[in-house]
Amino acid sequence: SQQGEEDPQALSIQEGENATMNCSYKTSINNLQWYRQNSGRGLVHLILIRSNEREKHSGRLRVTLDTSKKSSSLLITASRAADTASYFCATEATTSGTYKYIFGTGTRLKVLA
Amino acid sequence: DGGITQSPKYLFRKEGQNVTLSCEQNLNHDAMYWYRQDPGQGLRLIYYSQIVNDFQKGDIAEGYSVSREKKESFPLTVTSAQKNPTAFYLCASSMAILGTEQYFGPGTRLTVT
């Protein structure tokens, strides 16, 4: 089963509004990363937040991590039509020496001009 | 121009045939990965390699094989043992196996009929 689950599955907003996506996971992690995917393309890395960090910013992106709730959120402020894409969280963990890198099912964001 | 390339973009095969997907990177990254993405889903890890001549199974390795004879190359073979091979395949690389962002190629869409 997928470690990460994004919520909502789909989101439609007007240009200029903020978009918030959530990710929940099940086990302890080393870090959590957010990626963006335009339709039919590869993924682009957005931001990495380590398990001992609570919040990170990058331009219009703000990511929070709550390890007690095993959840993360991605906020995109002042959205643009070009932000239309699918957004995935990915958790990195090592369990008994085994590497685990698990992607969530994604949130499809549509920004209307 | 640094990056990660995958070829071909679209690939069609008959059931029962093995097929090899190419992945090359000139980023001097040690770690490389193969993922499978099904429609509307997140990515699932097939195989990963931390270093040349070493690779490990991911979550869905059955029916797939890989090699890592050169640092820059990590080809994936989809064998006839893979029950449902039609999917979008993504290759990625990173500086190290832990704690670093992954850079993705553009993907290969494989259709098996």
Side-chain angles (χ1 to χ4, degrees):
Chain A
S1 62
Q2 290 290 331
Q3 159 90 309
E5 292 188 5
E6 277 95 339
D7 168 51
Q9 291 188 344
L11 181 59
S12 186
I13 59 173
Q14 294 293 324
E15 203 166 29
E17 293 181 340
N18 295 344
T20 299
M21 289 158 263
N22 302 296
C23 169
S24 60
Y25 57 92
K26 297 188 176 88
T27 63
S28 295
I29 61 172
N30 299 330
N31 62 66
L32 185 145
Q33 304 186 35
W34 284 91
Y35 289 84
R36 164 199 168 119
Q37 183 181 34
N38 288 86
S39 182
R41 303 280 190 92
L43 277 70
V44 175
H45 184 266
L46 296 176
I47 201 161
L48 180 155
I49 186 164
R50 302 191 190 283
S51 60
N52 60 353
E53 296 175 312
R54 292 296 167 258
E55 187 171 313
K56 281 191 88 167
H57 297 256
S58 176
R60 293 185 296 114
L61 306 180
R62 173 179 167 251
V63 169
T64 62
L65 179 64
D66 186 335
T67 53
S68 66
K69 294 181 179 177
K70 292 186 168 61
S71 68
S72 174
S73 68
L74 169 67
L75 168 68
I76 304 174
T77 61
S79 63
R80 305 165 182 168
D83 293 329
T84 295
S86 290
Y87 292 82
F88 295 91
C89 67
T91 55
E92 180 193 288
T94 45
T95 308
S96 302
T98 300
Y99 170 80
K100 290 284 187 183
Y101 200 79
I102 300 177
F103 281 80
T105 51
T107 292
R108 293 186 306 281
L109 174 66
K110 187 169 186 177
V111 181
L112 304 169
Chain B
D1 200 18
I4 182 164
T5 58
Q6 291 182 245
S7 61
K9 187 168 183 169
Y10 298 96
L11 192 53
F12 298 89
R13 279 293 183 272
K14 294 289 187 186
E15 201 172 309
Q17 293 179 335
N18 291 356
V19 59
T20 297
L21 281 59
S22 166
C23 177
E24 303 277 332
Q25 54 99 359
N26 62 3
L27 300 168
N28 201 32
H29 286 169
D30 281 320
M32 295 188 75
Y33 315 79
W34 273 105
Y35 294 92
R36 170 187 172 131
Q37 185 177 31
D38 292 286
Q41 300 294 313
L43 281 65
R44 291 183 289 168
L45 184 62
I46 304 172
Y47 268 98
Y48 65 95
S49 168
Q50 298 189 55
I51 201 164
V52 176
N53 293 322
D54 176 76
F55 50 83
Q56 305 291 332
K57 293 181 180 180
D59 297 317
I60 56 165
E62 187 174 346
Y64 300 98
S65 66
V66 293
S67 63
R68 186 88 188 275
E69 296 175 3
K70 298 187 294 183
K71 187 175 186 177
E72 59 270 21
S73 179
F74 191 41
L76 173 75
T77 297
V78 184
T79 75
S80 57
Q82 168 50 232
K83 299 299 181 194
N84 187 17
T86 294
F88 188 47
Y89 291 88
L90 287 156
C91 179
S93 69
S94 63
M95 287 180 61
I97 196 73
L98 292 176
T100 59
E101 64 183 270
Q102 295 187 15
Y103 292 77
F104 281 81
T108 291
R109 191 167 298 279
L110 173 66
T111 302
V112 176
T113 58

